[in-house]
């Protein structure tokens, strides 16, 4: 067996999410079917660092693929052939590197980075429909940034966890949560070793309540301490969410200079 | 007659360009037909600051619309009603303001700003297909920035002018042409009172030759002085081009605080 790590970009709009489902096309299915074409039709399975939901995008998703040992592969042939076979689906392999079979895209990962994009204006979206969250009420990004500070560190994030979340523990360490406004664009960056299901979208949906002055920044800390999903705000839509990067130590993708 | 100025965003992909053509749907047609719905079906005509080509996008296009005098309009009703009637086309009015009939979106404009986006990587595009120019050969953005300096100022831009260009004079004053790399993204910003037809795309297509080291930066200055379209590089694709803003003095859009 030959294991390959791939760094992937995708537009989440046409997919039911990362994971295979009988209800529709998934990113996983597109990737695995393309990989199978490289392996003379034999089944190739993948494991991913982050199983993104329907409508969620990625600029730096990572997965590994297990090819039959006899498949002849090079870094550029894996990248280019996967890209060829994934057409016309909006999924692209940015980089492919061989890894040993101890390495695992999910379990070797020690960092996940997400970006959430809000466009704060009255006019509807023409360029970024499905790619950002359009919020028409004026948001106070400074208040949102202040509120975000209450969520940093190691906490029980039950209040921000989807009921369907399968993680054993609700404890997570949030290392970064910044809110930045540039004109009508508000960008929220979140970073942690791992996140609970819907955690980023639930944090964003709660910060939005602060931004529109429905909530005080302090109330976000109270919602966290309540350890009750009903204490926090609603789930922000998937449209604005991007998995931007996955961290490994050492980073298998560092072996090539960019652009490769 | 009541004249209104509108600031517009659009995704250029599905259109034949700004201007009405019998070959397909234009941004102008979408806007004017929506405006006509606000005027009880009477014809409303528009004049724009920049007649963008097929596939070219805008984040800050400006046009004016002439409504029959008796139409009852407010800034928010014009914006929201136009947005409603333009659905599902990817055209959005960001702001609408009443202007007097001396004011003209085209002739009152004293500044046009364009952005050109290149993604410089081997992997194909998933998120930004049709929205950026994918260049697979590694580009030296510093060399491109150096070359751009040769084009600044007042010159005869015949070498960068489309043969179909209808401007009376090839003289233009280029006030800004910057090239910036951020990771795999290269952004070129251009600013002038006005541009010749295809001027930005022809400058970008030429700078790309410098970036890939096919040309020296100095050769761009020589191409300019040749005053011959054949001396410069090819036309960059429309995909990466955005009209980002149009300047007026005074700016009619400054009357509202943002987001309005």
């Amino acid at each position: 067996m030959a294991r390959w790590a791939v760094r992937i970009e995708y537009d989440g709009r046409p997919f039911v999410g990362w994971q295979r489902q009988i209800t529709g096309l998934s990113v996983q299915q597109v990737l695995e079917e393309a990989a199978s074409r490289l392996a003379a039709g034999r089944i190739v399975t993948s494991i991913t660092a982050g199983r993104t939901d329907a409508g969620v995008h990625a600029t730096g998703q990572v997965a590994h693929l297990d090819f039959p040992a006899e498949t002849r592969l090079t870094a550029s042939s894996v990248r280019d052939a996967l890209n060829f076979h994934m057409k016309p689906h909006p999924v692209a392999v940015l980089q492919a590197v061989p890894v040993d079979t101890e390495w695992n895209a999910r379990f070797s990962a020690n960092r996940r980075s997400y970006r959430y994009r809000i466009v704060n204006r009255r006019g509807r979206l023409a360029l970024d429909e499905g790619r950002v969250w359009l919020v028409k009420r004026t948001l106070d990004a400074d208040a949102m940034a202040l509120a975000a500070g209450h969520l940093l560190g190691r906490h029980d994030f039950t209040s921000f966890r989807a009921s369907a979340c399968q993680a054993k523990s609700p404890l997570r360490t949030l290392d970064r949560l910044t809110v930045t406004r540039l004109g009508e664009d508000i960008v929220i960056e979140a970073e942690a070793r791992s996140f609970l299901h819907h955690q980023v979208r639930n944090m964003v949906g709660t910060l939005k309540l602060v931004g529109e002055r429905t909530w005080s920044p302090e109330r976000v800390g109270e919602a966290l301490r309540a350890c009750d999903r009903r204490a926090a705000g609603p789930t922000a839509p998937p449209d604005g969410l991007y998995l931007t990067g996955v961290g490994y130590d050492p980073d298998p993708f560092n072996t090539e200079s960019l652009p490769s």
Side-chain angles (χ1 to χ4, degrees), chain A:
Chain A
M1 187 185 75
R3 181 164 289 183
W4 284 73
V6 288
R7 202 159 54 82
I8 304 173
E9 174 183 289
Y10 50 85
D11 182 340
R13 284 178 289 187
F15 301 109
V16 295
W18 173 272
Q19 204 159 18
R20 278 180 186 267
Q21 289 183 42
I22 53 164
T23 52
L25 190 66
S26 61
V27 182
Q28 185 181 21
Q29 183 182 342
V30 168
L31 179 67
E32 291 178 354
E33 286 182 359
S36 166
R37 303 283 291 270
L38 276 67
R42 291 176 58 185
I43 286 175
V44 177
T45 58
S46 70
I47 297 289
T48 184
R51 285 165 295 173
T52 53
D53 284 316
V56 173
H57 319 288
T59 60
Q61 171 71 284
V62 174
H64 73 246
L65 294 160
D66 288 328
F67 291 96
E70 68 275 19
T71 322
R72 291 178 64 182
L73 305 166
T74 66
S76 57
S77 77
V78 170
R79 181 194 63 210
D80 296 343
L82 288 175
N83 280 333
F84 178 80
H85 291 300
M86 291 195 295
K87 281 185 190 173
H89 304 293
V91 184
V93 169
L94 307 180
Q95 202 179 352
V97 292
V99 289
D100 65 49
T101 52
E102 304 299 301
W103 192 91
N104 185 297
R106 181 175 177 194
F107 297 110
S108 302
N110 59 19
R111 180 122 340 252
R112 273 91 174 168
S113 304
Y114 285 91
R115 179 177 302 136
Y116 197 98
R117 294 179 58 199
I118 292 173
V119 168
N120 188 208
R121 72 180 191 202
R122 297 285 167 86
R124 73 183 181 89
L125 300 167
L127 273 163
D128 287 320
E129 180 73 44
R131 302 265 298 260
V132 299
W133 185 14
L134 175 65
V135 176
K136 298 196 174 189
R137 281 179 72 174
T138 303
L139 295 177
D140 179 344
D142 294 332
M144 293 168 73
L146 201 63
H150 292 283
L151 298 173
L152 288 177
R154 185 159 178 81
H155 304 287
D156 177 332
F157 278 98
T158 295
S159 301
F160 298 92
R161 175 185 192 174
S163 56
C165 182
Q166 290 165 18
K168 285 182 191 137
S169 163
L171 283 171
R172 288 293 183 275
T173 303
L174 183 62
D175 295 307
R176 185 170 182 228
L177 187 64
T178 58
V179 182
T180 315
R181 176 187 278 277
L182 190 72
E184 66 188 23
D185 297 318
I186 295 176
V187 172
I188 298 164
E189 304 265 5
E191 209 174 286
R193 182 179 185 89
S194 66
F195 289 92
L196 299 168
H197 192 199
H198 281 182
Q199 185 182 343
V200 177
R201 287 165 60 190
N202 289 340
M203 293 191 301
V204 170
T206 306
L207 292 178
K208 182 240 189 187
L209 296 176
V210 175
E212 64 189 24
R213 299 179 200 271
T214 305
W215 278 31
S216 69
E218 293 69 32
R219 190 165 162 190
V220 172
E222 294 161 19
L224 174 68
R225 287 188 293 276
C227 293
D228 180 345
R229 178 70 192 91
R230 294 165 299 181
T235 308
D239 312 50
L241 187 61
Y242 295 75
L243 174 56
T244 54
V246 185
Y248 300 93
D249 188 18
D251 182 353
F253 297 105
N254 255 346
T255 58
E256 281 178 283
S257 61
L258 290 172
S260 64

